[in-house]
Amino acid sequence: MEAAFMGSGTTVDKGENARLSSFVGAIAIADLVKTTLGPKGMDKILQRISEHDQSVSVTNDGATILKSINLDNAAAKVLVDIARVQDDEVGDGTTSVAVLCGELLREAEDLINQRIHPQTIAEGWRLARKAAREALEASCVDNSANDAEFREDLLRIARTTLSSKLLTYEKDYFANLAVDAVMRLRGSNNLDHIQVLKKAGGNLRDSYLEEGFLLDKKIGVGQPKRIENAKILLANTSMDTDKIKIYGSRVRVDSLNKVAEIEEAEKARMRQKCEKIIAHGCNVFINRQLIYNLPESIFTERGVMAIEHADFDGIERLAAVTGGEVVSTFDRPDLVAMGECDVIEEVMIGEDKVIRLGGCKSGEACSIVLRGASSHVLDEAERSLHDALCILTATVKDPRIICGGGCTEVLMAQAIDRQVESTPGKKALAMSSFARALRQLPAIVADNGGYDSAELVTQLRAAHASGKNTYGLDMYNGMIGDMTVLGVAESFKSKLCVLLSASEAAEMILRVDDIIKCAPRAREGGY
């Protein structure tokens, strides 16, 4: 009926068709990434097929996989969005949130086929979510008052996060690396102070934490290679000679002497600019843009170390760790905050020379140097380490931890099942479906390891029913075990975000009854 009143190019999917389209799209996306879940999850190869970019990356990071897919289905885009927000918020659990949302919608599809209204299902889910959250909060532990125990908690979380990544075989080494880097931040949680530098060559075990800041740039020709008690001027300014930069302009002269005079005037202006820079009292000058031959030679004569082309991210990060300001004009030295560090020197990493800034004013600055066999390995190692750093900083903010290995999912499902017994009406069916969706997560983790998921999940349910509330899946031996003994821990904040984001997104998709696709309005004039 609406079609009679709508313009051309507008289509409406109604009722069952709209709901089916939403469910199918979201479930398909969840099924795409669910094989990457858990310590035995598989990797995906992402191959770009554009004309100018045919690069390949190998990853099992849910957010990376979902962000790289072009989608047409509206519900599928919702799943991609919640995975991206999870990645931004806590760094880990991106696959879990998409898979849980898909499983909830799979259960909802069965309930709708039984003629249960979507609003009734949503109401039951909200009751289930409340019960699950209470069970999750009751099971968490906070050891932040004891520094030694809190560090051990952080190590357990880092090892658990890295277990499902490329770094799993060196997880103890990299967990220590990540915890040391985060503990240096002293609660500021600014990950800009942790720089990750990738250098091909060697193997992953050769990676190390450098207590200082590494800049992958070159020092100017003939300039000092080591400076102690450095006063650093950070700039974003053009250091080529001042030329007439008006498109289409020409300068006409009647002799070569006039050309020489113009060139000399340009050089004089550059010398004047360099003198202003040196007048700040700096012995190191780092510029975001290029430094050309003339200014470089002037800095060399004055014994100033000049470093060029420190790109925008690099110069902003340098400002943060050295305590300086990025300046563009040099007329008021008294208003400029200079960066400071104890030593700047050139060091070798493998075959490459880099610049090391030691003893920065911001003492929490550090660099993690990643070594690896190829660029693909390094890229995936960086993604894995970034996830670990993000989850550790989130845990420092909210220090509560919970047991991993599917333990909390079964715990929450049992709390919901207990409440179902005293809940009247069809809402109880929706609550049971929420509990089944939660139990699917450990089942999928077991399936991905090649184990009998039905056997393991039923053993896990029986263990929890008998009061063993810390039991979960031991994925290395194919059995259930005590997660506190095995050292499998997760961040409370991460698990809570997974629970809330997945259930809210599933509820939003469930309430859809029409999908309206509108063609963009044509411009007047026909162009």
Side-chain angles (χ1 to χ4, degrees):
M1 182 66 185
E2 293 99 328
F5 304 101
M6 291 180 179
S8 60
T10 303
T11 59
V12 181
D13 289 338
K14 295 187 69 63
E16 285 300 315
N17 287 342
R19 198 168 286 121
L20 188 63
S21 170
S22 299
F23 285 1
V24 167
I27 291 168
I29 287 295
D31 287 346
L32 176 72
V33 294
K34 78 177 183 183
T35 55
T36 67
L37 191 64
K40 298 288 184 81
M42 307 299 281
D43 289 359
K44 309 283 186 195
I45 291 180
L46 306 176
Q47 185 170 5
R48 292 165 183 82
I49 52 173
S50 71
E51 185 180 344
H52 305 291
D53 182 11
Q54 297 191 350
S55 58
V56 170
S57 55
V58 183
T59 183
N60 72 348
D61 181 50
T64 306
I65 295 165
L66 293 176
K67 278 190 284 191
S68 64
I69 302 169
N70 290 322
L71 296 167
D72 190 37
N73 185 283
K77 288 180 180 176
V78 171
L79 255 69
V80 174
D81 195 44
I82 60 170
R84 183 183 57 76
V85 171
Q86 179 80 10
D87 194 36
D88 295 343
E89 189 73 16
V90 286
D92 195 30
T94 51
T95 307
S96 301
V97 73
V99 170
L100 179 56
C101 185
E103 292 301 325
L104 283 168
L105 290 172
R106 207 188 301 272
E107 294 290 340
E109 193 175 11
D110 291 341
L111 293 175
I112 282 173
N113 289 337
Q114 296 172 33
R115 297 290 180 217
I116 298 175
H117 196 275
Q119 293 289 9
T120 307
I121 299 171
E123 192 178 351
W125 280 359
R126 282 194 288 272
L127 291 171
R129 184 168 66 220
K130 185 183 175 189
R133 182 172 185 167
E134 288 169 358
L136 191 64
E137 287 172 346
S139 68
C140 65
V141 178
D142 184 353
N143 292 322
S144 57
N146 185 321
D147 287 347
E149 285 186 16
F150 185 53
R151 181 183 170 82
E152 191 55 42
D153 285 348
L154 291 177
L155 284 168
R156 284 203 291 267
I157 288 170
R159 281 196 289 265
T160 304
T161 299
L162 294 172
S163 291
S164 61
K165 314 285 183 190
L166 173 78
L167 302 176
T168 180
Y169 299 109
E170 301 287 355
K171 66 182 177 186
D172 290 332
Y173 181 74
F174 280 98
N176 270 303
L177 211 73
V179 170
D180 286 343
V182 169
M183 294 301 270
R184 283 179 65 87
L185 295 179
R186 303 192 190 109
S188 76
N189 296 326
N190 185 355
L191 286 180
D192 283 342
H193 291 182
I194 301 174
Q195 182 196 26
V196 179
L197 194 65
K198 298 179 288 186
K199 286 290 177 186
N203 56 42
L204 287 169
R205 186 79 187 195
D206 296 334
S207 305
Y208 65 94
L209 179 71
E210 173 66 59
E211 293 188 1
F213 197 82
L214 296 176
L215 197 60
D216 193 6
K217 300 295 172 188
K218 298 283 188 292
I219 296 171
V221 178
Q223 293 169 359
K225 303 296 183 190
R226 177 185 170 90
I227 287 182
E228 295 183 358
N229 297 321
K231 300 284 185 189
I232 307 164
L233 182 63
L234 302 166
N236 178 13
T237 186
S238 170
M239 295 299 289
D240 57 343
T241 49
D242 288 334
K243 298 184 184 299
I244 298 168
K245 295 175 181 173
I246 302 170
Y247 182 73
S249 64
R250 287 189 296 175
V251 178
R252 288 188 176 177
V253 292
D254 51 13
S255 71
L256 286 174
N257 289 339
K258 295 283 178 65
V259 176
E261 286 173 16
I262 292 171
E263 287 179 352
E264 189 54 43
E266 288 173 348
K267 288 179 181 177
R269 290 197 63 173
M270 181 47 66
R271 286 193 191 95
Q272 189 181 357
K273 189 172 189 177
C274 291
E275 291 298 332
K276 283 183 179 179
I277 290 169
I278 294 165
H280 284 69
C282 62
N283 51 12
V284 179
F285 176 64
I286 302 177
N287 191 27
R288 186 196 163 201
Q289 301 179 40
L290 292 171
I291 301 174
Y292 289 83
N293 293 347
L294 176 64
E296 189 177 340
S297 65
I298 294 169
F299 290 132
T300 304
E301 287 168 11
R302 297 300 193 88
V304 174
M305 181 192 288
I307 301 166
E308 66 176 4
H309 215 238
D311 52 59
F312 193 76
D313 284 346
I315 202 84
E316 288 289 317
R317 192 176 270 144
L318 274 170
V321 299
T322 60
E325 291 177 351
V326 182
V327 293
S328 298
T329 57
F330 309 98
D331 297 323
R332 295 290 305 274
D334 54 312
L335 299 178
V336 175
M338 306 274 277
E340 296 174 11
C341 70
D342 293 343
V343 63
I344 295 183
E345 59 186 347
E346 202 169 56
V347 296
M348 294 284 290
I349 297 178
E351 304 296 318
D352 301 325
K353 289 180 181 177
V354 298
I355 301 164
R356 175 181 172 273
L357 288 78
C360 293
K361 190 173 181 180
S362 168
E364 55 254 30
C366 61
S367 297
I368 296 173
V369 180
L370 286 179
R371 308 299 309 281
S374 71
S375 60
H376 301 122
V377 171
L378 285 172
D379 288 343
E380 180 62 3
E382 184 189 22
R383 281 190 289 267
S384 305
L385 193 60
H386 179 263
D387 283 359
L389 291 171
C390 286
I391 197 70
L392 288 174
T393 51
T395 308
V396 169
K397 285 181 194 169
D398 185 346
R400 291 175 288 179
I401 68 162
I402 52 172
C403 293
C407 168
T408 46
E409 282 83 356
V410 174
L411 194 73
M412 289 188 287
Q414 286 205 323
I416 294 166
D417 284 339
R418 281 195 294 273
Q419 196 162 327
V420 166
E421 294 168 6
S422 58
T423 304
K426 293 181 178 178
K427 290 179 293 188
L429 297 175
M431 292 174 72
S432 295
S433 74
F434 199 101
R436 283 196 299 274
L438 282 170
R439 276 193 286 267
Q440 277 299 99
L441 287 176
I444 291 165
V445 170
D447 281 335
N448 290 344
Y451 303 124
D452 184 346
S453 60
E455 174 70 22
L456 286 176
V457 172
T458 49
Q459 285 183 19
L460 199 52
R461 287 181 70 178
H464 276 256
S466 63
K468 297 176 180 176
N469 291 334
T470 57
Y471 268 53
L473 297 176
D474 178 358
M475 287 301 292
Y476 296 103
N477 298 311
M479 54 193 283
I480 64 170
D482 190 340
M483 296 293 103
T484 52
V485 175
L486 295 171
V488 180
E490 291 183 54
S491 164
F492 168 80
K493 186 177 180 184
S494 171
K495 191 63 74 178
L496 183 64
C497 282
V498 167
L499 176 71
L500 299 181
S501 299
S503 58
E504 286 168 6
E507 186 179 325
M508 185 170 69
I509 294 168
L510 175 66
R511 291 155 67 108
V512 169
D513 69 342
D514 282 8
I515 298 176
I516 305 165
K517 294 181 181 177
C518 311
R521 191 172 59 190
R523 290 188 181 187
E524 293 179 10
Y527 60 88

